[in-house]
Each structure stands twice: as C-alpha cells, then as structure tokens.
Amino acid sequence: MPYCFILQSCYGHFVYNGQNDSYNLEPLPVADTAVKVEYRIAYITICIDNSFFGKAWFESFKEITAIDLENVQFCCAEWFWKRQINSYALQVEPDRFKHYDTAVVDFKEALHIEKIRNKFFIRLYELLEREKER
C-alpha cells in the first residue's frame, strides 16, 4: 500500500511462573497456574500518508479500538513521531498501562487481554484482506 507502511510491531507475549520465554506465542493455560502474569504489549506502529487513501486507512485503524475501548488504543507515539512524522500506534494494553511496554496483571485479566489481542489481530487481518480487494 503506497499510503501506509509498518514501522514496528509485536504480537504480545505472556510471561508467568512456568513460562519464562519472553517471545512465547503459546496461549495462556486454561487452568489458573499463575498468580501474576507479565504481559508484553501487542501493537503495530504505522506511518500513514496524508492523502485521501491514507486518511481512509487512518479511519479504518481507529475503528479497531471498538473491540474494547478500555484495552485498545490508537494514538500517536511521540518517540516514533520524532523519528517518523505521521506515525501512529495501535496497541492492546489496559488503559492504566497504556504508556508502558509491559504490565503485570492477575491471571483473569491476562485471559481477557489475550482474548482482545486475538480479536485485534483478526481485525487487522480482515482490514488488510479488505484493502487487497480494493
């Protein structure tokens, strides 16, 4: 897409007692095996052209926050903007931690975040598929 490119992204990882791989892609266990879980943020940072198609893409990205307004943010990452103007971050992170790369949460909240993260990437995929058809 000539009006948008990815700067950086991360799938989002869960680290807890018994799972210490910080790049682990395994789903959380069904049983509550951890008291606390360290969540490493899921995000995609993009640069969007200030054009008709770029603005449409911008609006499509904003709509993804509707998955869960308390846990999905679309914002301007200041440190990216300083290096790359017109850059934006779409991230899955509890609102109270939105300015951090990691968050320590209880197991129940980690399960909720995992569900949102999965929906987030499905919506991104659907958005890209729709864009290919255009």
Side-chain angles (χ1 to χ4, degrees):
M1 297 177 298
Y3 46 87
C4 176
F5 62 90
I6 296 173
L7 295 166
Q8 194 171 3
S9 65
C10 183
Y11 183 67
H13 310 280
F14 296 95
V15 179
Y16 52 92
N17 188 24
Q19 177 48 272
N20 297 317
D21 179 3
S22 59
Y23 298 103
N24 134 60
L25 297 176
E26 297 297 317
L28 286 166
V30 176
D32 183 351
T33 60
V35 176
K36 295 290 179 185
V37 176
E38 180 182 346
Y39 169 62
R40 303 203 176 168
I41 188 172
Y43 68 94
I44 183 169
T45 306
I46 56 174
C47 182
I48 304 174
D49 186 46
N50 187 18
S51 65
F52 174 79
F53 288 115
K55 289 175 183 176
W57 188 249
F58 178 90
E59 292 301 319
S60 295
F61 258 68
K62 276 187 1 185
E63 291 172 8
I64 292 177
T65 62
I67 293 169
D68 185 316
L69 296 175
E70 291 296 314
N71 290 288
V72 182
Q73 300 91 30
F74 183 61
C75 54
C76 171
E78 279 187 46
W79 65 281
F80 267 112
W81 193 278
K82 289 177 183 175
R83 293 188 319 194
Q84 180 67 57
I85 196 163
N86 294 340
S87 60
Y88 302 90
L90 184 59
Q91 64 186 29
V92 177
E93 182 85 303
D95 192 62
R96 68 188 184 279
F97 298 114
K98 69 183 172 188
H99 298 292
Y100 302 101
D101 292 341
T102 63
V104 176
V105 297
D106 65 30
F107 186 78
K108 183 178 179 182
E109 185 174 17
L111 286 172
H112 182 68
I113 293 168
E114 180 182 45
K115 183 193 249 183
I116 294 164
R117 180 204 60 191
N118 295 344
K119 286 181 184 178
F120 172 82
F121 282 108
I122 289 168
R123 290 284 298 277
L124 278 175
Y125 176 79
E126 291 169 350
L127 182 62
L128 289 168
E129 287 296 306
R130 216 173 40 236
E131 198 63 22
K132 279 182 5 185
E133 294 171 6
R134 194 167 15 160

mmCIF file of all heavy atoms in Angstrom, residues 58-86:
data_model
loop_
_atom_site.group_PDB
_atom_site.id
_atom_site.type_symbol
_atom_site.label_atom_id
_atom_site.label_comp_id
_atom_site.label_asym_id
_atom_site.label_seq_id
_atom_site.Cartn_x
_atom_site.Cartn_y
_atom_site.Cartn_z
ATOM 1 N N PHE A 58 -6.423 5.572 8.005
ATOM 2 C CA PHE A 58 -6.375 6.104 9.363
ATOM 3 C C PHE A 58 -7.709 5.850 10.069
ATOM 4 O O PHE A 58 -7.743 5.366 11.195
ATOM 5 C CB PHE A 58 -6.063 7.607 9.305
ATOM 6 C CG PHE A 58 -6.036 8.297 10.630
ATOM 7 C CD1 PHE A 58 -4.854 8.393 11.351
ATOM 8 C CD2 PHE A 58 -7.185 8.875 11.151
ATOM 9 C CE1 PHE A 58 -4.829 9.047 12.577
ATOM 10 C CE2 PHE A 58 -7.166 9.525 12.372
ATOM 11 C CZ PHE A 58 -5.983 9.612 13.092
ATOM 12 N N GLU A 59 -8.808 6.161 9.405
ATOM 13 C CA GLU A 59 -10.135 5.953 9.995
ATOM 14 C C GLU A 59 -10.417 4.468 10.233
ATOM 15 O O GLU A 59 -10.999 4.098 11.256
ATOM 16 C CB GLU A 59 -11.222 6.574 9.104
ATOM 17 C CG GLU A 59 -11.169 8.087 9.057
ATOM 18 C CD GLU A 59 -11.311 8.751 10.420
ATOM 19 O OE1 GLU A 59 -12.138 8.292 11.236
ATOM 20 O OE2 GLU A 59 -10.591 9.735 10.667
ATOM 21 N N SER A 60 -9.996 3.615 9.319
ATOM 22 C CA SER A 60 -10.174 2.161 9.494
ATOM 23 C C SER A 60 -9.409 1.666 10.717
ATOM 24 O O SER A 60 -9.904 0.836 11.474
ATOM 25 C CB SER A 60 -9.697 1.410 8.252
ATOM 26 O OG SER A 60 -10.504 1.721 7.154
ATOM 27 N N PHE A 61 -8.205 2.175 10.904
ATOM 28 C CA PHE A 61 -7.416 1.784 12.073
ATOM 29 C C PHE A 61 -8.091 2.244 13.356
ATOM 30 O O PHE A 61 -8.131 1.506 14.341
ATOM 31 C CB PHE A 61 -5.997 2.366 11.976
ATOM 32 C CG PHE A 61 -4.974 1.368 11.537
ATOM 33 C CD1 PHE A 61 -4.993 0.864 10.253
ATOM 34 C CD2 PHE A 61 -4.002 0.928 12.406
ATOM 35 C CE1 PHE A 61 -4.066 -0.063 9.845
ATOM 36 C CE2 PHE A 61 -3.065 0.004 12.004
ATOM 37 C CZ PHE A 61 -3.096 -0.492 10.726
ATOM 38 N N LYS A 62 -8.604 3.452 13.374
ATOM 39 C CA LYS A 62 -9.280 3.964 14.570
ATOM 40 C C LYS A 62 -10.444 3.077 14.973
ATOM 41 O O LYS A 62 -10.707 2.880 16.159
ATOM 42 C CB LYS A 62 -9.781 5.387 14.329
ATOM 43 C CG LYS A 62 -8.744 6.429 14.561
ATOM 44 C CD LYS A 62 -9.214 7.868 14.506
ATOM 45 C CE LYS A 62 -10.630 8.176 14.263
ATOM 46 N NZ LYS A 62 -10.914 9.615 14.124
ATOM 47 N N GLU A 63 -11.151 2.522 13.983
ATOM 48 C CA GLU A 63 -12.326 1.689 14.263
ATOM 49 C C GLU A 63 -11.973 0.412 15.027
ATOM 50 O O GLU A 63 -12.825 -0.157 15.706
ATOM 51 C CB GLU A 63 -13.038 1.336 12.965
ATOM 52 C CG GLU A 63 -13.710 2.520 12.308
ATOM 53 C CD GLU A 63 -14.253 2.199 10.930
ATOM 54 O OE1 GLU A 63 -14.246 1.019 10.518
ATOM 55 O OE2 GLU A 63 -14.672 3.150 10.251
ATOM 56 N N ILE A 64 -10.740 -0.040 14.931
ATOM 57 C CA ILE A 64 -10.335 -1.272 15.619
ATOM 58 C C ILE A 64 -10.408 -1.106 17.133
ATOM 59 O O ILE A 64 -10.619 -2.074 17.854
ATOM 60 C CB ILE A 64 -8.944 -1.731 15.136
ATOM 61 C CG1 ILE A 64 -9.050 -2.179 13.674
ATOM 62 C CG2 ILE A 64 -8.376 -2.846 16.006
ATOM 63 C CD1 ILE A 64 -7.741 -2.590 13.036
ATOM 64 N N THR A 65 -10.312 0.114 17.630
ATOM 65 C CA THR A 65 -10.397 0.332 19.077
ATOM 66 C C THR A 65 -11.755 -0.096 19.635
ATOM 67 O O THR A 65 -11.874 -0.371 20.823
ATOM 68 C CB THR A 65 -10.134 1.801 19.447
ATOM 69 O OG1 THR A 65 -11.133 2.624 18.842
ATOM 70 C CG2 THR A 65 -8.746 2.244 19.011
ATOM 71 N N ALA A 66 -12.774 -0.182 18.788
ATOM 72 C CA ALA A 66 -14.116 -0.582 19.244
ATOM 73 C C ALA A 66 -14.143 -2.003 19.796
ATOM 74 O O ALA A 66 -15.097 -2.371 20.486
ATOM 75 C CB ALA A 66 -15.124 -0.437 18.105
ATOM 76 N N ILE A 67 -13.117 -2.791 19.533
ATOM 77 C CA ILE A 67 -13.038 -4.146 20.101
ATOM 78 C C ILE A 67 -13.193 -4.070 21.611
ATOM 79 O O ILE A 67 -13.929 -4.836 22.218
ATOM 80 C CB ILE A 67 -11.699 -4.826 19.737
ATOM 81 C CG1 ILE A 67 -11.620 -5.100 18.243
ATOM 82 C CG2 ILE A 67 -11.489 -6.103 20.549
ATOM 83 C CD1 ILE A 67 -10.233 -5.517 17.779
ATOM 84 N N ASP A 68 -12.483 -3.124 22.218
ATOM 85 C CA ASP A 68 -12.530 -2.936 23.669
ATOM 86 C C ASP A 68 -11.873 -1.596 23.981
ATOM 87 O O ASP A 68 -10.641 -1.490 23.988
ATOM 88 C CB ASP A 68 -11.801 -4.078 24.384
ATOM 89 C CG ASP A 68 -11.921 -4.008 25.888
ATOM 90 O OD1 ASP A 68 -11.771 -2.911 26.460
ATOM 91 O OD2 ASP A 68 -12.140 -5.056 26.506
ATOM 92 N N LEU A 69 -12.666 -0.576 24.230
ATOM 93 C CA LEU A 69 -12.146 0.783 24.422
ATOM 94 C C LEU A 69 -11.236 0.919 25.638
ATOM 95 O O LEU A 69 -10.402 1.821 25.696
ATOM 96 C CB LEU A 69 -13.300 1.781 24.519
ATOM 97 C CG LEU A 69 -14.156 1.902 23.263
ATOM 98 C CD1 LEU A 69 -15.349 2.817 23.515
ATOM 99 C CD2 LEU A 69 -13.336 2.380 22.079
ATOM 100 N N GLU A 70 -11.373 0.030 26.605
ATOM 101 C CA GLU A 70 -10.522 0.082 27.802
ATOM 102 C C GLU A 70 -9.168 -0.579 27.585
ATOM 103 O O GLU A 70 -8.261 -0.404 28.394
ATOM 104 C CB GLU A 70 -11.234 -0.585 28.985
ATOM 105 C CG GLU A 70 -12.425 0.193 29.487
ATOM 106 C CD GLU A 70 -12.038 1.556 30.050
ATOM 107 O OE1 GLU A 70 -11.066 1.632 30.822
ATOM 108 O OE2 GLU A 70 -12.699 2.547 29.695
ATOM 109 N N ASN A 71 -9.035 -1.341 26.512
ATOM 110 C CA ASN A 71 -7.800 -2.101 26.322
ATOM 111 C C ASN A 71 -7.154 -1.961 24.944
ATOM 112 O O ASN A 71 -6.109 -2.560 24.696
ATOM 113 C CB ASN A 71 -8.054 -3.589 26.602
ATOM 114 C CG ASN A 71 -8.297 -3.840 28.068
ATOM 115 O OD1 ASN A 71 -7.386 -3.770 28.873
ATOM 116 N ND2 ASN A 71 -9.543 -4.115 28.427
ATOM 117 N N VAL A 72 -7.759 -1.209 24.051
ATOM 118 C CA VAL A 72 -7.181 -0.992 22.720
ATOM 119 C C VAL A 72 -7.115 0.512 22.483
ATOM 120 O O VAL A 72 -8.127 1.202 22.604
ATOM 121 C CB VAL A 72 -8.007 -1.664 21.605
ATOM 122 C CG1 VAL A 72 -7.347 -1.445 20.246
ATOM 123 C CG2 VAL A 72 -8.172 -3.158 21.877
ATOM 124 N N GLN A 73 -5.921 1.000 22.183
ATOM 125 C CA GLN A 73 -5.731 2.421 21.940
ATOM 126 C C GLN A 73 -5.135 2.656 20.554
ATOM 127 O O GLN A 73 -4.327 1.869 20.079
ATOM 128 C CB GLN A 73 -4.773 3.039 22.972
ATOM 129 C CG GLN A 73 -5.213 2.941 24.410
ATOM 130 C CD GLN A 73 -4.712 1.687 25.105
ATOM 131 O OE1 GLN A 73 -3.657 1.172 24.784
ATOM 132 N NE2 GLN A 73 -5.485 1.182 26.053
ATOM 133 N N PHE A 74 -5.553 3.750 19.951
ATOM 134 C CA PHE A 74 -4.960 4.241 18.708
ATOM 135 C C PHE A 74 -4.449 5.628 19.030
ATOM 136 O O PHE A 74 -5.216 6.503 19.434
ATOM 137 C CB PHE A 74 -6.002 4.296 17.590
ATOM 138 C CG PHE A 74 -5.433 4.733 16.260
ATOM 139 C CD1 PHE A 74 -4.445 3.996 15.636
ATOM 140 C CD2 PHE A 74 -5.893 5.869 15.643
ATOM 141 C CE1 PHE A 74 -3.925 4.381 14.406
ATOM 142 C CE2 PHE A 74 -5.393 6.272 14.411
ATOM 143 C CZ PHE A 74 -4.399 5.530 13.793
ATOM 144 N N CYS A 75 -3.160 5.814 18.898
ATOM 145 C CA CYS A 75 -2.573 7.060 19.352
ATOM 146 C C CYS A 75 -1.323 7.398 18.544
ATOM 147 O O CYS A 75 -0.875 6.621 17.709
ATOM 148 C CB CYS A 75 -2.226 6.960 20.829
ATOM 149 S SG CYS A 75 -1.185 5.529 21.231
ATOM 150 N N CYS A 76 -0.791 8.532 18.858
ATOM 151 C CA CYS A 76 0.478 8.945 18.265
ATOM 152 C C CYS A 76 1.569 8.637 19.282
ATOM 153 O O CYS A 76 1.515 9.113 20.412
ATOM 154 C CB CYS A 76 0.440 10.439 17.973
ATOM 155 S SG CYS A 76 2.020 11.099 17.491
ATOM 156 N N ALA A 77 2.514 7.819 18.888
ATOM 157 C CA ALA A 77 3.641 7.504 19.772
ATOM 158 C C ALA A 77 4.693 8.600 19.587
ATOM 159 O O ALA A 77 5.317 8.696 18.533
ATOM 160 C CB ALA A 77 4.212 6.139 19.432
ATOM 161 N N GLU A 78 4.855 9.459 20.592
ATOM 162 C CA GLU A 78 5.745 10.617 20.466
ATOM 163 C C GLU A 78 7.149 10.258 20.010
ATOM 164 O O GLU A 78 7.718 10.929 19.164
ATOM 165 C CB GLU A 78 5.827 11.361 21.797
ATOM 166 C CG GLU A 78 4.673 12.288 22.032
ATOM 167 C CD GLU A 78 4.873 13.122 23.270
ATOM 168 O OE1 GLU A 78 5.977 13.675 23.454
ATOM 169 O OE2 GLU A 78 3.924 13.196 24.061
ATOM 170 N N TRP A 79 7.704 9.212 20.579
ATOM 171 C CA TRP A 79 9.092 8.887 20.220
ATOM 172 C C TRP A 79 9.203 8.415 18.779
ATOM 173 O O TRP A 79 10.218 8.616 18.126
ATOM 174 C CB TRP A 79 9.696 7.894 21.206
ATOM 175 C CG TRP A 79 9.076 6.543 21.219
ATOM 176 C CD1 TRP A 79 7.916 6.172 21.819
ATOM 177 C CD2 TRP A 79 9.593 5.368 20.609
ATOM 178 N NE1 TRP A 79 7.679 4.831 21.619
ATOM 179 C CE2 TRP A 79 8.694 4.317 20.888
ATOM 180 C CE3 TRP A 79 10.733 5.082 19.855
ATOM 181 C CZ2 TRP A 79 8.896 3.025 20.442
ATOM 182 C CZ3 TRP A 79 10.925 3.793 19.419
ATOM 183 C CH2 TRP A 79 10.020 2.783 19.713
ATOM 184 N N PHE A 80 8.121 7.812 18.221
ATOM 185 C CA PHE A 80 8.125 7.471 16.800
ATOM 186 C C PHE A 80 7.968 8.734 15.961
ATOM 187 O O PHE A 80 8.616 8.901 14.944
ATOM 188 C CB PHE A 80 6.988 6.494 16.455
ATOM 189 C CG PHE A 80 7.397 5.055 16.505
ATOM 190 C CD1 PHE A 80 6.887 4.217 17.475
ATOM 191 C CD2 PHE A 80 8.283 4.534 15.584
ATOM 192 C CE1 PHE A 80 7.254 2.886 17.531
ATOM 193 C CE2 PHE A 80 8.657 3.204 15.626
ATOM 194 C CZ PHE A 80 8.139 2.381 16.599
ATOM 195 N N TRP A 81 7.056 9.623 16.391
ATOM 196 C CA TRP A 81 6.768 10.829 15.626
ATOM 197 C C TRP A 81 8.036 11.670 15.452
ATOM 198 O O TRP A 81 8.245 12.282 14.405
ATOM 199 C CB TRP A 81 5.682 11.646 16.315
ATOM 200 C CG TRP A 81 5.115 12.723 15.436
ATOM 201 C CD1 TRP A 81 5.646 13.966 15.209
ATOM 202 C CD2 TRP A 81 3.923 12.662 14.662
ATOM 203 N NE1 TRP A 81 4.861 14.671 14.356
ATOM 204 C CE2 TRP A 81 3.782 13.894 13.987
ATOM 205 C CE3 TRP A 81 2.953 11.686 14.461
ATOM 206 C CZ2 TRP A 81 2.719 14.182 13.144
ATOM 207 C CZ3 TRP A 81 1.896 11.975 13.626
ATOM 208 C CH2 TRP A 81 1.789 13.204 12.977
ATOM 209 N N LYS A 82 8.889 11.688 16.461
ATOM 210 C CA LYS A 82 10.136 12.455 16.368
ATOM 211 C C LYS A 82 11.045 11.904 15.278
ATOM 212 O O LYS A 82 11.793 12.647 14.657
ATOM 213 C CB LYS A 82 10.856 12.455 17.708
ATOM 214 C CG LYS A 82 10.150 13.295 18.752
ATOM 215 C CD LYS A 82 10.831 13.220 20.092
ATOM 216 C CE LYS A 82 10.036 14.018 21.112
ATOM 217 N NZ LYS A 82 10.575 13.892 22.449
ATOM 218 N N ARG A 83 10.987 10.592 15.056
ATOM 219 C CA ARG A 83 11.810 9.963 14.015
ATOM 220 C C ARG A 83 11.072 9.844 12.692
ATOM 221 O O ARG A 83 11.689 9.826 11.633
ATOM 222 C CB ARG A 83 12.247 8.562 14.460
ATOM 223 C CG ARG A 83 13.192 8.588 15.627
ATOM 224 C CD ARG A 83 13.757 7.235 15.935
ATOM 225 N NE ARG A 83 12.777 6.169 15.846
ATOM 226 C CZ ARG A 83 12.963 4.967 16.320
ATOM 227 N NH1 ARG A 83 14.076 4.667 16.928
ATOM 228 N NH2 ARG A 83 12.036 4.044 16.191
ATOM 229 N N GLN A 84 9.740 9.706 12.747
ATOM 230 C CA GLN A 84 8.947 9.492 11.529
ATOM 231 C C GLN A 84 7.608 10.202 11.672
ATOM 232 O O GLN A 84 6.729 9.720 12.378
ATOM 233 C CB GLN A 84 8.735 7.989 11.293
ATOM 234 C CG GLN A 84 7.944 7.657 10.068
ATOM 235 C CD GLN A 84 8.674 8.027 8.789
ATOM 236 O OE1 GLN A 84 9.778 7.567 8.553
ATOM 237 N NE2 GLN A 84 8.059 8.870 7.987
ATOM 238 N N ILE A 85 7.465 11.333 11.014
ATOM 239 C CA ILE A 85 6.211 12.085 11.080
ATOM 240 C C ILE A 85 5.064 11.231 10.509
ATOM 241 O O ILE A 85 5.297 10.338 9.711
ATOM 242 C CB ILE A 85 6.356 13.434 10.332
ATOM 243 C CG1 ILE A 85 5.229 14.355 10.740
ATOM 244 C CG2 ILE A 85 6.461 13.236 8.858
ATOM 245 C CD1 ILE A 85 5.480 15.798 10.400
ATOM 246 N N ASN A 86 3.849 11.511 10.949
ATOM 247 C CA ASN A 86 2.645 10.775 10.534
ATOM 248 C C ASN A 86 2.675 9.315 10.972
ATOM 249 O O ASN A 86 2.158 8.444 10.286
ATOM 250 C CB ASN A 86 2.411 10.869 9.018
ATOM 251 C CG ASN A 86 2.091 12.270 8.564
ATOM 252 O OD1 ASN A 86 1.692 13.109 9.363
ATOM 253 N ND2 ASN A 86 2.289 12.531 7.292
#
